[in-house]
Amino acid sequence: MGGRPERLPRRQELTDRPVRSEAETVGSLERALPRVRRVIVPEAGHLPWVEDPRGFRGAGTAALR
């Protein structure tokens, strides 16, 4: 492993921390922003405007009404 040896313990500390799931993150945003509404675009992942432009556009249009 490259890098400076004095940084290795710090790297290990970071890898031992739990990672929040997407559901936990979205749930915490919904609690913090009570007027937010979650919309799922079923045929899309991280790039919904590319993967399902029609679904993305529909979700955005509905949110603006």
Side-chain angles (χ1 to χ4, degrees), residues 22-55:
E22 181 179 350
E24 290 173 318
T25 302
V26 172
S28 66
L29 282 172
E30 286 177 322
R31 287 188 298 278
L33 305 168
R35 293 178 55 192
V36 74
R37 186 179 62 151
R38 182 189 320 198
V39 176
I40 297 172
V41 181
E43 298 300 319
H46 291 286
L47 301 171
W49 54 90
V50 174
E51 297 165 346
D52 185 3
R54 185 175 290 158

